[in-house]
Amino acid sequence: MQRGRFITFEGGEGTGKSTQARKLAERLEAAGISVIVTREPGGTVLGEDIRALILKDRPQDPLTELLLFAAARAEHMTAVIRPALDDGTWVISDRFIDSTRVYQGKLYGIEPELLASLEKFIVGHDLPTLTLIIDLPAETSMERAHTRGTLSRYDAARVDTHKFLRDGFLEIADAEPERCVLIDGNLPVESVATAVWQAVHERLLANVVA
Ligand SMILES: Nc1ncnc2c1ncn2[C@@H]1O[C@H](COP(=O)(O)OP(=O)(O)O)[C@@H](O)[C@H]1O
Ligand SMILES: [Mg+2]
């Protein structure tokens, strides 16, 4: 049996990741592909507890936060992602390693060597097959996150922070073109979904469905 494919959505708050993750899952299901949607931090009972813990009471030390996220990811890989991929099920994760690189690395200044090392031990060879980075001007994504009404401490950050984070995601898209596709998020939901589907089709589906 063929292993499942691993797709991640990345980008700042309010760029449309969760919306597009759901839409892509619907399209894959309609194409007869077995797929699960999961998210980080979270994805398991323990992971969701860790997520709630961090959002409620932000650690003072960025290392504390990194290690809590890392623990959630290790559990997520072992309990959810690897078993699904082994089963031939496709996995869509709403945020993954690139969010860690951008938030914990670029924003909070954790050494890239430590991030790379954790990535190696926790994710290993199971890197995403395809990462869709949704790009949106900082002002628009902040506005959307406000409209959505669930404002996390990241959403509430200042516009220059959002710009800084956006640049971080753009740098990754630029550095890893084999894995990443940049998606223009500044279009209606359905147009973004079409661009996502095109990328998935080109990169992953050409040999699976007509
Ligand atoms: N392409 C789009 N155009 C306009 N509004 C959008 C678009 N995509 C998502 N939204 C809206 O913006 C808000 C944030 O979208 P969401 O998918 O939750 O973003 P994220 O998961 O990246 O934070 C939601 O209210 C959603 O309905
Ligand atoms: Mg979301």
Side-chain angles (χ1 to χ4, degrees), residues 117-202:
S117 182
L118 283 170
E119 224 178 271
K120 183 175 151 219
F121 282 99
I122 297 171
V123 181
H125 295 297
D126 298 309
L127 283 167
T129 336
L130 174 65
T131 295
L132 300 152
I133 297 182
I134 309 189
D135 183 55
L136 199 62
E139 291 81 2
T140 316
S141 59
M142 282 184 81
E143 202 179 289
R144 282 196 201 162
H146 275 92
T147 315
R148 191 183 52 192
T150 51
L151 214 63
S152 76
R153 63 189 165 85
Y154 293 115
D155 300 325
R158 290 163 33 191
V159 70
D160 49 345
T161 306
H162 282 260
K163 287 199 174 107
F164 185 75
L165 295 169
R166 180 192 188 192
D167 286 345
F169 285 111
L170 288 173
E171 279 162 25
I172 293 172
D174 209 40
E176 293 184 52
E178 283 103 55
R179 174 172 67 88
C180 302
V181 174
L182 196 65
I183 301 284
D184 181 2
N186 208 6
L187 295 167
V189 172
E190 289 310 322
S191 311
V192 180
T194 302
V196 165
W197 186 245
Q198 247 163 28
V200 169
H201 203 274
E202 262 169 44

Side-chain angles (χ1 to χ4, degrees), residues 3-183:
R3 228 165 167 256
R5 307 292 163 86
F6 184 16
I7 302 171
T8 56
F9 279 92
E10 298 278 7
E13 286 299 320
T15 51
K17 300 179 299 298
S18 305
T19 304
Q20 295 300 328
R22 280 193 302 272
K23 289 205 152 281
L24 176 59
E26 282 165 17
R27 288 190 91 151
L28 286 171
E29 269 163 17
I33 289 167
S34 153
V35 59
I36 57 165
V37 179
T38 186
R39 69 171 180 179
E40 288 214 347
T44 64
V45 174
L46 179 68
E48 291 294 331
D49 283 351
I50 291 174
R51 179 190 184 107
L53 205 69
I54 294 171
L55 289 177
K56 175 172 141 274
D57 213 359
R58 184 184 169 189
Q60 286 186 28
D61 187 336
L63 259 183
T64 310
E65 188 170 77
L66 171 74
L67 295 172
L68 285 168
F69 281 151
R73 176 165 301 147
E75 191 67 9
H76 196 200
M77 289 305 302
T78 300
V80 175
I81 297 176
R82 280 198 191 97
L85 296 174
D86 287 345
D87 245 22
T89 297
W90 291 34
V91 175
I92 299 174
S93 186
D94 185 345
R95 291 196 184 280
F96 196 59
I97 50 172
D98 302 303
S99 288
T100 309
R101 293 182 191 177
V102 170
Y103 288 83
Q104 273 65 52
K106 197 171 151 81
L107 189 61
Y108 297 129
I110 301 217
E111 293 76 6
E113 294 77 22
L114 176 54
L115 298 184
S117 182
L118 283 170
E119 224 178 271
K120 183 175 151 219
F121 282 99
I122 297 171
V123 181
H125 295 297
D126 298 309
L127 283 167
T129 336
L130 174 65
T131 295
L132 300 152
I133 297 182
I134 309 189
D135 183 55
L136 199 62
E139 291 81 2
T140 316
S141 59
M142 282 184 81
E143 202 179 289
R144 282 196 201 162
H146 275 92
T147 315
R148 191 183 52 192
T150 51
L151 214 63
S152 76
R153 63 189 165 85
Y154 293 115
D155 300 325
R158 290 163 33 191
V159 70
D160 49 345
T161 306
H162 282 260
K163 287 199 174 107
F164 185 75
L165 295 169
R166 180 192 188 192
D167 286 345
F169 285 111
L170 288 173
E171 279 162 25
I172 293 172
D174 209 40
E176 293 184 52
E178 283 103 55
R179 174 172 67 88
C180 302
V181 174
L182 196 65
I183 301 284

